Amino acid sequence: MNIKDILVHLDGDKVDSGTLAVAVDQARRFGARLTGLFARKEVSPTAMVARQPSNTLLAQADSARKAFETATEGLETRWWQIVHGAETDLLGEAVFCSHYVDLVVVSQPAAYGKHVPETMVEQIILHSGRPILVVPVEYTKRPLGKKVVIGWRSGKQAARALHDCLPLVEGAEEVLVASVRGFTPMEKSTPPVDIIDHLRVHGLPVTGERVNTEGLGVMDSLLSRAYDIDADLLVIGGHPGKTFSFSGKAGAGTRHILAHASIPVLFSC
């Protein structure tokens, strides 16, 4: 996939700065169009009932747009905004908008506070059908895709995440594929598939490692390895039905990574 159309969600607050910076960097890197999407919960019950934006929401949208225009000077851009602000509208329309781009950039849920629905980022990951790049609250700007950890499990979601990340990791210095189950097919009759070999065909400097979960959960082990190699990107697959492909508990893995990751995470589902 060639990334030529990127969407970044903005809520009009100061936390937009790190997320917007990542989106701008990737748009410049790929020569992509960047769309700013303003979506934030309405504070006025009257405005929600009338499905008309309050003056407060309009002012927040205007502030977000000005910040977007300043940060994206020289780029091809668009501006979209969801201004009726009811929670169900925000969830449905944010997911809807994400269907029409190559990559979606959002903030870690904690960055939004109560400004957006609590599950908005999860819903976009699960239902957009697009790769979602989640930027942590405390983000130190650095090149993306130089040192990468990819969580691997032989399944649709992990395979999609791995292939969705290829444009982002082109030219990487180090790629670590981490697997709980290892890399050798369990059935001897199965052809000798090898995800490490596949990535090397793409010219990536890749190594494989079986994740040691002793004393830690799977997700913490994955985050720990990313920390150990000073990774700038973690890649992992989600699973429909609020289940994470690295975890057997419904939604637990997704939420754990979203809550605790200190580096950008690329999710695909």
Side-chain angles (χ1 to χ4, degrees), residues 144-261:
L144 191 74
K146 294 300 182 182
K147 291 189 175 183
V148 183
V149 173
I150 300 174
W152 174 252
R153 174 185 176 185
S154 185
K156 182 185 76 172
Q157 292 76 28
R160 185 167 188 173
L162 184 145
H163 288 89
D164 281 345
C165 84
L166 290 177
L168 294 171
V169 304
E170 184 176 358
E173 299 167 0
E174 182 177 359
V175 177
L176 172 63
V177 180
S179 173
V180 173
R181 297 181 178 180
F183 302 96
T184 304
M186 297 180 68
E187 297 292 336
K188 292 184 179 180
S189 60
T190 302
V193 294
D194 186 343
I195 197 64
I196 306 303
D197 173 71
H198 170 64
L199 288 175
R200 285 177 179 158
V201 170
H202 285 272
L204 294 170
V206 60
T207 57
E209 179 180 299
R210 187 162 185 170
V211 176
N212 179 9
T213 60
E214 184 177 351
L216 289 173
V218 174
M219 295 304 162
D220 282 326
S221 297
L222 201 58
L223 292 171
S224 177
R225 288 303 291 130
Y227 177 82
D228 290 343
I229 72 166
D230 192 28
D232 55 66
L233 179 65
L234 173 62
V235 177
I236 199 158
H239 194 283
K242 298 185 180 179
T243 302
F244 198 56
S245 63
F246 249 70
S247 174
K249 296 182 180 179
T254 305
R255 287 187 287 272
H256 189 84
I257 293 290
L258 287 174
H260 297 287

Side-chain angles (χ1 to χ4, degrees), residues 66-106:
K66 288 177 180 177
F68 177 77
E69 290 174 346
T70 299
T72 59
E73 186 175 357
L75 288 174
E76 180 184 357
T77 62
R78 296 183 298 186
W79 180 253
W80 294 346
Q81 58 189 56
I82 303 169
V83 291
H84 30 78
E87 184 163 331
T88 53
D89 291 328
L90 285 184
L91 288 174
E93 294 185 31
V95 171
F96 176 79
C97 290
S98 68
H99 294 160
Y100 295 87
V101 294
D102 300 323
L103 175 69
V104 179
V105 184
V106 297

